[in-house]
């Protein structure tokens, strides 16, 4: 979810949090690639950071499906 409610686990925290970043791993435990999806607080766009490459994410739904178990072009270990 893009908004996370943790109040049932930590009652002293604010009720809702906005998702602003995700760290992803593509590959297997001994070999793979880490990259991140980040949404700066001053923008409506998400960005993908992979090594020195940064690009705007144009299809957020697709990017998040790939980050959470989808089959991705990132399986080749390249950014």
């Amino acid at each position: 979810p893009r908004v996370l409610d943790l109040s049932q686990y930590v009652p002293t925290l604010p009720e809702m949090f906005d998702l602003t970043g995700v760290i992803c791993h593509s590959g297997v435990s001994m070999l793979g690639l880490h990259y991140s999806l980040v949404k700066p607080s001053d923008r409506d766009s998400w960005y993908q950071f992979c090594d020195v490459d940064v690009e705007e994410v144009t299809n957020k739904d697709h990017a998040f499906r790939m980050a959470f178990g989808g089959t991705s072009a990132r399986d080749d270990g390249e950014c």
Side-chain angles (χ1 to χ4, degrees):
R2 302 297 195 290
V3 175
L4 184 61
D5 182 357
L6 296 175
S7 62
Q8 68 180 5
Y9 306 106
V10 187
T12 59
L13 290 176
E15 291 183 16
M16 299 289 181
F17 291 88
D18 291 323
L19 183 65
T20 59
V22 178
I23 298 172
C24 308
H25 179 264
S26 176
V28 296
S29 61
M30 299 298 287
L31 178 67
L33 172 73
H34 285 91
Y35 64 99
S36 60
L37 299 168
V38 176
K39 181 185 176 296
S41 61
D42 63 339
R43 299 181 186 207
D44 288 331
S45 299
W46 283 82
Y47 295 87
Q48 182 172 283
F49 289 73
C50 184
D51 295 331
V52 297
D53 298 322
V54 178
E55 60 185 45
E56 186 173 359
V57 175
T58 56
N59 186 336
K60 289 182 278 192
D61 291 333
H62 176 73
F64 278 92
R65 273 195 308 277
M66 295 306 102
F68 295 101
T71 302
S72 170
R74 296 214 170 275
D75 291 338
D76 62 6
E78 297 291 329
C79 289

